[in-house]
Amino acid sequence: MNVVIIGCGNIATYVVNSIVNGETKGIKLHTIVGTPRRTDYLQELSAHANCHWTTDIDSLEWDEIDVMIEAAGQQVVKDHLLTFVKKGKHVLVISIGALVDQDFFQTVYTEAKKSGSQILLPSGAIGGLDAIRNAAMGELRSVELTTKKHPDSLTGAPYIIENGIDMDHLTEDLVLFRGSALEAASAFPENLNVAAALSLAGLGPERTMVNIIASPHIEMNTHEIQATGNFGNLYFRFENKPSPENRKSSYLVNLSVVRTLEDFCRNGGLFYN
Ligand SMILES: NC(=O)c1ccc[n+]([C@@H]2O[C@H](COP(=O)([O-])OP(=O)(O)OC[C@H]3O[C@@H](n4cnc5c(N)ncnc54)[C@H](O)[C@@H]3O)[C@@H](O)[C@H]2O)c1
């Protein structure tokens, strides 16, 4: 399958290297899309991968492309996902936070059913979404996410700025936020991807609860998930090492994208759900 990757940051670079190193089967990298600000690196990365590059998504050779990989941010999803889907392209979305807008999600989903496009949502920094989805087939009563991160990974969030929270002198854990995944969308947009993935798998953005804690002594991003329903109870805890190239992201996210892509592009084989 011919693949285009949007972004040339941490995740995109990892995926490109995995393809170049032959860790993925049945995938040919067609083009890397970046921003004009990063043209030098874009050229370097595409030369390494022996593929095309561009800073203009609209100039892509659509007839030659099967799969789009978004590894660039929520704005790219908001601006381009619908177009990709209408063209019948399969799309791997890593900035899942953009999909908590239910109207947008429904529009994309409806168009995908018409065009035959498949939208791939990697589990990213967490896992266990299969169990949440299974539980939602019955009576899933509650799903709650507690994310604990170092203050450095949370600074700059609109909620912190608007509330004038001093993140520089924390000596102990501080609960910053408790609310729905929908409320977290505007409060902590950069940290929303995990909450969004969880809510899409289960109770939706309005009923999935999110706690965000700043922890000055923590070394790994931690996500705890608790759910209850008529299946029983579940509890997952993820302690994620940061990605070597972007300390705000987790290495598990890179692995998750490559696994999702590989599972989709190779024909047959095992499929876990
Ligand atoms: N689902 C998850 O669990 C999860 C976890 C971590 C990150 N993410 C998402 O993945 C995204 C990428 O993460 P990263 O660590 O690679 O970030 P990064 O900052 O290292 O890289 C992002 C890249 O996208 C490029 N970019 C931005 N806008 C673009 C555009 N319009 N066209 C082309 N390129 C564009 C930037 O220049 C940059 O190179 C994040 O923005 C985040 O939303 C999801």
PDB file of all heavy atoms in Angstrom, residues 81-82 96 98-112 119 121 200:
ATOM      1  N   LEU A  81      -9.219  15.966   7.416  1.00  0.00           N
ATOM      2  CA  LEU A  81      -9.707  14.578   7.504  1.00  0.00           C
ATOM      3  C   LEU A  81     -10.895  14.328   6.574  1.00  0.00           C
ATOM      4  O   LEU A  81     -10.953  13.307   5.868  1.00  0.00           O
ATOM      5  CB  LEU A  81     -10.059  14.228   8.957  1.00  0.00           C
ATOM      6  CG  LEU A  81     -10.622  12.827   9.176  1.00  0.00           C
ATOM      7  CD1 LEU A  81      -9.627  11.758   8.718  1.00  0.00           C
ATOM      8  CD2 LEU A  81     -10.968  12.600  10.657  1.00  0.00           C
ATOM      9  N   LEU A  82     -11.823  15.267   6.566  1.00  0.00           N
ATOM     10  CA  LEU A  82     -13.027  15.079   5.754  1.00  0.00           C
ATOM     11  C   LEU A  82     -12.672  14.949   4.262  1.00  0.00           C
ATOM     12  O   LEU A  82     -13.233  14.117   3.541  1.00  0.00           O
ATOM     13  CB  LEU A  82     -13.991  16.242   5.996  1.00  0.00           C
ATOM     14  CG  LEU A  82     -15.422  16.032   5.553  1.00  0.00           C
ATOM     15  CD1 LEU A  82     -16.035  14.784   6.156  1.00  0.00           C
ATOM     16  CD2 LEU A  82     -16.266  17.258   5.926  1.00  0.00           C
ATOM     17  N   ILE A  96      -6.211  12.140  18.035  1.00  0.00           N
ATOM     18  CA  ILE A  96      -7.602  11.702  18.173  1.00  0.00           C
ATOM     19  C   ILE A  96      -8.453  12.747  18.891  1.00  0.00           C
ATOM     20  O   ILE A  96      -9.675  12.781  18.751  1.00  0.00           O
ATOM     21  CB  ILE A  96      -7.634  10.336  18.912  1.00  0.00           C
ATOM     22  CG1 ILE A  96      -6.894   9.296  18.073  1.00  0.00           C
ATOM     23  CG2 ILE A  96      -9.052   9.871  19.188  1.00  0.00           C
ATOM     24  CD1 ILE A  96      -6.773   7.936  18.735  1.00  0.00           C
ATOM     25  N   ALA A  98      -9.089  15.613  18.186  1.00  0.00           N
ATOM     26  CA  ALA A  98      -9.926  16.384  17.260  1.00  0.00           C
ATOM     27  C   ALA A  98     -11.287  15.736  17.055  1.00  0.00           C
ATOM     28  O   ALA A  98     -12.223  16.388  16.580  1.00  0.00           O
ATOM     29  CB  ALA A  98      -9.211  16.517  15.907  1.00  0.00           C
ATOM     30  N   LEU A  99     -11.417  14.466  17.429  1.00  0.00           N
ATOM     31  CA  LEU A  99     -12.674  13.748  17.164  1.00  0.00           C
ATOM     32  C   LEU A  99     -13.675  13.822  18.316  1.00  0.00           C
ATOM     33  O   LEU A  99     -14.736  13.217  18.239  1.00  0.00           O
ATOM     34  CB  LEU A  99     -12.370  12.277  16.829  1.00  0.00           C
ATOM     35  CG  LEU A  99     -11.432  12.060  15.634  1.00  0.00           C
ATOM     36  CD1 LEU A  99     -11.183  10.575  15.412  1.00  0.00           C
ATOM     37  CD2 LEU A  99     -12.002  12.680  14.365  1.00  0.00           C
ATOM     38  N   VAL A 100     -13.344  14.557  19.384  1.00  0.00           N
ATOM     39  CA  VAL A 100     -14.344  14.677  20.467  1.00  0.00           C
ATOM     40  C   VAL A 100     -15.499  15.598  20.054  1.00  0.00           C
ATOM     41  O   VAL A 100     -16.549  15.580  20.683  1.00  0.00           O
ATOM     42  CB  VAL A 100     -13.770  15.184  21.822  1.00  0.00           C
ATOM     43  CG1 VAL A 100     -12.845  14.195  22.446  1.00  0.00           C
ATOM     44  CG2 VAL A 100     -13.158  16.547  21.688  1.00  0.00           C
ATOM     45  N   ASP A 101     -15.292  16.381  19.019  1.00  0.00           N
ATOM     46  CA  ASP A 101     -16.394  17.182  18.464  1.00  0.00           C
ATOM     47  C   ASP A 101     -17.347  16.203  17.763  1.00  0.00           C
ATOM     48  O   ASP A 101     -17.057  15.712  16.665  1.00  0.00           O
ATOM     49  CB  ASP A 101     -15.807  18.211  17.482  1.00  0.00           C
ATOM     50  CG  ASP A 101     -16.892  19.024  16.785  1.00  0.00           C
ATOM     51  OD1 ASP A 101     -18.053  18.569  16.749  1.00  0.00           O
ATOM     52  OD2 ASP A 101     -16.563  20.095  16.273  1.00  0.00           O
ATOM     53  N   GLN A 102     -18.472  15.933  18.415  1.00  0.00           N
ATOM     54  CA  GLN A 102     -19.362  14.866  17.953  1.00  0.00           C
ATOM     55  C   GLN A 102     -19.965  15.137  16.572  1.00  0.00           C
ATOM     56  O   GLN A 102     -20.161  14.221  15.787  1.00  0.00           O
ATOM     57  CB  GLN A 102     -20.478  14.635  18.976  1.00  0.00           C
ATOM     58  CG  GLN A 102     -19.970  14.021  20.271  1.00  0.00           C
ATOM     59  CD  GLN A 102     -19.471  12.582  20.083  1.00  0.00           C
ATOM     60  OE1 GLN A 102     -20.245  11.644  20.053  1.00  0.00           O
ATOM     61  NE2 GLN A 102     -18.164  12.410  19.929  1.00  0.00           N
ATOM     62  N   ASP A 103     -20.255  16.419  16.264  1.00  0.00           N
ATOM     63  CA  ASP A 103     -20.800  16.744  14.940  1.00  0.00           C
ATOM     64  C   ASP A 103     -19.772  16.417  13.850  1.00  0.00           C
ATOM     65  O   ASP A 103     -20.088  15.819  12.824  1.00  0.00           O
ATOM     66  CB  ASP A 103     -21.174  18.232  14.854  1.00  0.00           C
ATOM     67  CG  ASP A 103     -22.370  18.538  15.746  1.00  0.00           C
ATOM     68  OD1 ASP A 103     -23.085  17.582  16.104  1.00  0.00           O
ATOM     69  OD2 ASP A 103     -22.565  19.714  16.091  1.00  0.00           O
ATOM     70  N   PHE A 104     -18.533  16.844  14.124  1.00  0.00           N
ATOM     71  CA  PHE A 104     -17.446  16.584  13.178  1.00  0.00           C
ATOM     72  C   PHE A 104     -17.263  15.073  13.003  1.00  0.00           C
ATOM     73  O   PHE A 104     -17.166  14.560  11.883  1.00  0.00           O
ATOM     74  CB  PHE A 104     -16.164  17.240  13.694  1.00  0.00           C
ATOM     75  CG  PHE A 104     -14.948  17.000  12.840  1.00  0.00           C
ATOM     76  CD1 PHE A 104     -14.913  17.437  11.522  1.00  0.00           C
ATOM     77  CD2 PHE A 104     -13.834  16.343  13.353  1.00  0.00           C
ATOM     78  CE1 PHE A 104     -13.790  17.219  10.731  1.00  0.00           C
ATOM     79  CE2 PHE A 104     -12.716  16.115  12.571  1.00  0.00           C
ATOM     80  CZ  PHE A 104     -12.691  16.554  11.263  1.00  0.00           C
ATOM     81  N   PHE A 105     -17.234  14.361  14.120  1.00  0.00           N
ATOM     82  CA  PHE A 105     -17.022  12.919  14.084  1.00  0.00           C
ATOM     83  C   PHE A 105     -18.121  12.228  13.260  1.00  0.00           C
ATOM     84  O   PHE A 105     -17.840  11.373  12.419  1.00  0.00           O
ATOM     85  CB  PHE A 105     -16.989  12.359  15.516  1.00  0.00           C
ATOM     86  CG  PHE A 105     -16.731  10.886  15.577  1.00  0.00           C
ATOM     87  CD1 PHE A 105     -15.447  10.384  15.365  1.00  0.00           C
ATOM     88  CD2 PHE A 105     -17.750   9.987  15.825  1.00  0.00           C
ATOM     89  CE1 PHE A 105     -15.191   9.022  15.400  1.00  0.00           C
ATOM     90  CE2 PHE A 105     -17.503   8.617  15.856  1.00  0.00           C
ATOM     91  CZ  PHE A 105     -16.226   8.140  15.646  1.00  0.00           C
ATOM     92  N   GLN A 106     -19.355  12.629  13.491  1.00  0.00           N
ATOM     93  CA  GLN A 106     -20.476  11.997  12.776  1.00  0.00           C
ATOM     94  C   GLN A 106     -20.405  12.273  11.282  1.00  0.00           C
ATOM     95  O   GLN A 106     -20.665  11.402  10.453  1.00  0.00           O
ATOM     96  CB  GLN A 106     -21.826  12.494  13.333  1.00  0.00           C
ATOM     97  CG  GLN A 106     -22.330  11.717  14.535  1.00  0.00           C
ATOM     98  CD  GLN A 106     -22.286  10.191  14.330  1.00  0.00           C
ATOM     99  OE1 GLN A 106     -22.552   9.676  13.264  1.00  0.00           O
ATOM    100  NE2 GLN A 106     -21.923   9.470  15.382  1.00  0.00           N
ATOM    101  N   THR A 107     -20.038  13.514  10.927  1.00  0.00           N
ATOM    102  CA  THR A 107     -19.912  13.873   9.511  1.00  0.00           C
ATOM    103  C   THR A 107     -18.841  13.011   8.842  1.00  0.00           C
ATOM    104  O   THR A 107     -19.045  12.449   7.758  1.00  0.00           O
ATOM    105  CB  THR A 107     -19.525  15.366   9.364  1.00  0.00           C
ATOM    106  OG1 THR A 107     -20.461  16.130  10.108  1.00  0.00           O
ATOM    107  CG2 THR A 107     -19.526  15.816   7.930  1.00  0.00           C
ATOM    108  N   VAL A 108     -17.699  12.899   9.509  1.00  0.00           N
ATOM    109  CA  VAL A 108     -16.593  12.112   8.951  1.00  0.00           C
ATOM    110  C   VAL A 108     -17.006  10.641   8.817  1.00  0.00           C
ATOM    111  O   VAL A 108     -16.766   9.994   7.791  1.00  0.00           O
ATOM    112  CB  VAL A 108     -15.341  12.244   9.857  1.00  0.00           C
ATOM    113  CG1 VAL A 108     -14.275  11.237   9.466  1.00  0.00           C
ATOM    114  CG2 VAL A 108     -14.767  13.655   9.785  1.00  0.00           C
ATOM    115  N   TYR A 109     -17.658  10.146   9.848  1.00  0.00           N
ATOM    116  CA  TYR A 109     -18.067   8.740   9.878  1.00  0.00           C
ATOM    117  C   TYR A 109     -19.060   8.440   8.747  1.00  0.00           C
ATOM    118  O   TYR A 109     -18.953   7.431   8.043  1.00  0.00           O
ATOM    119  CB  TYR A 109     -18.677   8.454  11.250  1.00  0.00           C
ATOM    120  CG  TYR A 109     -18.981   7.006  11.521  1.00  0.00           C
ATOM    121  CD1 TYR A 109     -17.979   6.039  11.454  1.00  0.00           C
ATOM    122  CD2 TYR A 109     -20.263   6.598  11.873  1.00  0.00           C
ATOM    123  CE1 TYR A 109     -18.258   4.704  11.715  1.00  0.00           C
ATOM    124  CE2 TYR A 109     -20.546   5.266  12.135  1.00  0.00           C
ATOM    125  CZ  TYR A 109     -19.545   4.332  12.046  1.00  0.00           C
ATOM    126  OH  TYR A 109     -19.821   3.023  12.297  1.00  0.00           O
ATOM    127  N   THR A 110     -20.018   9.349   8.550  1.00  0.00           N
ATOM    128  CA  THR A 110     -21.008   9.171   7.498  1.00  0.00           C
ATOM    129  C   THR A 110     -20.334   9.152   6.121  1.00  0.00           C
ATOM    130  O   THR A 110     -20.633   8.306   5.271  1.00  0.00           O
ATOM    131  CB  THR A 110     -22.040  10.327   7.543  1.00  0.00           C
ATOM    132  OG1 THR A 110     -22.583  10.364   8.854  1.00  0.00           O
ATOM    133  CG2 THR A 110     -23.159  10.136   6.541  1.00  0.00           C
ATOM    134  N   GLU A 111     -19.415  10.086   5.912  1.00  0.00           N
ATOM    135  CA  GLU A 111     -18.710  10.152   4.616  1.00  0.00           C
ATOM    136  C   GLU A 111     -17.845   8.914   4.407  1.00  0.00           C
ATOM    137  O   GLU A 111     -17.704   8.415   3.292  1.00  0.00           O
ATOM    138  CB  GLU A 111     -17.846  11.421   4.536  1.00  0.00           C
ATOM    139  CG  GLU A 111     -18.644  12.690   4.415  1.00  0.00           C
ATOM    140  CD  GLU A 111     -19.512  12.756   3.149  1.00  0.00           C
ATOM    141  OE1 GLU A 111     -19.139  12.143   2.128  1.00  0.00           O
ATOM    142  OE2 GLU A 111     -20.575  13.400   3.193  1.00  0.00           O
ATOM    143  N   ALA A 112     -17.252   8.429   5.496  1.00  0.00           N
ATOM    144  CA  ALA A 112     -16.378   7.243   5.385  1.00  0.00           C
ATOM    145  C   ALA A 112     -17.200   6.029   4.946  1.00  0.00           C
ATOM    146  O   ALA A 112     -16.755   5.215   4.139  1.00  0.00           O
ATOM    147  CB  ALA A 112     -15.685   6.977   6.717  1.00  0.00           C
ATOM    148  N   ILE A 119     -11.090   4.564   8.932  1.00  0.00           N
ATOM    149  CA  ILE A 119     -10.360   5.474   9.826  1.00  0.00           C
ATOM    150  C   ILE A 119      -9.726   4.625  10.917  1.00  0.00           C
ATOM    151  O   ILE A 119     -10.429   3.915  11.647  1.00  0.00           O
ATOM    152  CB  ILE A 119     -11.310   6.525  10.409  1.00  0.00           C
ATOM    153  CG1 ILE A 119     -11.929   7.328   9.265  1.00  0.00           C
ATOM    154  CG2 ILE A 119     -10.564   7.465  11.355  1.00  0.00           C
ATOM    155  CD1 ILE A 119     -13.106   8.163   9.669  1.00  0.00           C
ATOM    156  N   LEU A 121      -7.668   4.212  14.336  1.00  0.00           N
ATOM    157  CA  LEU A 121      -7.384   4.954  15.565  1.00  0.00           C
ATOM    158  C   LEU A 121      -6.451   4.109  16.446  1.00  0.00           C
ATOM    159  O   LEU A 121      -6.912   3.197  17.141  1.00  0.00           O
ATOM    160  CB  LEU A 121      -8.684   5.260  16.319  1.00  0.00           C
ATOM    161  CG  LEU A 121      -9.755   6.042  15.544  1.00  0.00           C
ATOM    162  CD1 LEU A 121     -10.992   6.249  16.401  1.00  0.00           C
ATOM    163  CD2 LEU A 121      -9.216   7.389  15.075  1.00  0.00           C
ATOM    164  N   LEU A 200     -14.126   7.585  22.897  1.00  0.00           N
ATOM    165  CA  LEU A 200     -14.697   7.037  21.658  1.00  0.00           C
ATOM    166  C   LEU A 200     -14.909   5.530  21.770  1.00  0.00           C
ATOM    167  O   LEU A 200     -15.822   4.975  21.166  1.00  0.00           O
ATOM    168  CB  LEU A 200     -13.795   7.357  20.463  1.00  0.00           C
ATOM    169  CG  LEU A 200     -13.718   8.830  20.073  1.00  0.00           C
ATOM    170  CD1 LEU A 200     -12.764   9.037  18.911  1.00  0.00           C
ATOM    171  CD2 LEU A 200     -15.096   9.374  19.709  1.00  0.00           C
TER     172      LEU A 200
END
